Amino acid sequence: MCEVFGYIFGSLRSSEKAVQSIQRTLKHQRSFNRNVAVLAIAMTAYMVTNEIDRKKQNKKIEELSNEIKELRRLEGE
């Protein structure tokens, strides 16, 4: 009877150690996933702001190009 209890509790102890190891691994994975998510959000925000700036620059270039064309046209008349 004592051997049976020893086997059961020994098996439970090894299972608890395995579960603790898995919990530790999941904790580190959660931290890594959070860092990756923050990096992804930061990169997305950078890409969006960069695209907005690019569109503003293209619009400004187009306006200046039209202004140059207008000035050339006025000089030619």
Side-chain angles (χ1 to χ4, degrees):
M1 186 71 146
C2 186
E3 293 174 8
V4 173
F5 283 131
Y7 174 76
I8 291 171
F9 288 119
S11 177
L12 284 175
R13 193 171 302 120
S14 64
S15 296
E16 286 176 2
K17 287 182 182 181
V19 168
Q20 287 175 352
S21 174
I22 291 169
Q23 285 177 338
R24 194 174 318 116
T25 302
L26 289 176
K27 181 181 174 183
H28 291 299
Q29 185 67 44
R30 185 177 343 142
S31 174
F32 177 78
N33 290 348
R34 187 179 312 120
N35 290 339
V36 170
V38 167
L39 177 65
I41 290 169
M43 289 178 72
T44 303
Y46 173 76
M47 288 172 54
V48 168
T49 57
N50 196 21
E51 185 67 20
I52 290 169
D53 287 342
R54 190 184 66 79
K55 286 184 179 183
K56 285 180 183 179
Q57 287 176 352
N58 285 342
K59 185 178 178 183
K60 184 70 172 178
I61 289 170
E62 187 176 329
E63 289 173 0
L64 290 173
S65 178
N66 290 339
E67 186 177 333
I68 290 171
K69 287 178 185 176
E70 183 68 26
L71 289 173
R72 285 184 182 165
R73 191 175 59 88
L74 290 176
E75 286 179 2
E77 289 179 357

